[in-house]
Amino acid sequence: MSMLVSLLLGLATAAAPPPPGGVWMQHVDQREAWRARREGRILPLKDIEGRVLPTMRGSQYLGVDFDGERGIYTLKFLRDGTVIWIEVDGRSGAIIGRTGN
């Protein structure tokens, strides 16, 4: 019986929605982002989100990835069935790329 409970809990966890705010990063990305932030190489994610989220009204924020080699945050949004990716320079906070509408 405990194996069934463990299996059900594992499935429920795997199917659970992302954390509040829809923010998701892979563990490797998180560690690299934390290290870069601690070393002062990039801005905190909250600062990046504070600059980008207000420009994306009417969109659902899906989450973020971090490319540690390039120091680039990629924020993902959904609007009217279209996924929008916004690339942000982690050092300056400047939007450097955008795909979608």
Side-chain angles (χ1 to χ4, degrees):
M1 183 69 163
S2 68
M3 188 156 99
L4 177 61
V5 171
S6 295
L7 178 61
L8 290 174
L9 284 174
L11 289 173
T13 303
V23 176
W24 175 85
M25 276 189 178
Q26 293 179 339
H27 293 293
V28 173
D29 292 342
Q30 287 178 338
R31 282 194 301 269
E32 179 56 31
W34 180 82
R35 186 176 304 116
R37 172 65 191 120
R38 189 184 76 226
E39 293 170 359
R41 292 185 284 133
I42 61 167
L43 296 169
L45 177 58
K46 287 188 182 276
D47 289 359
I48 300 296
E49 291 173 333
R51 294 174 187 209
V52 176
L53 293 179
T55 70
M56 296 301 295
R57 297 196 197 294
S59 299
Q60 178 184 357
Y61 182 33
L62 300 177
V64 63
D65 286 323
F66 179 70
D67 181 339
E69 289 181 17
R70 295 173 40 215
I72 303 293
Y73 289 99
T74 302
L75 285 72
K76 300 173 197 171
F77 298 87
L78 182 64
R79 179 188 297 146
D80 300 327
T82 300
V83 177
I84 302 165
W85 289 273
I86 298 183
E87 289 189 334
V88 181
D89 184 316
R91 292 171 286 278
S92 68
I95 294 175
I96 59 173
R98 177 184 173 125
T99 61
N101 292 331

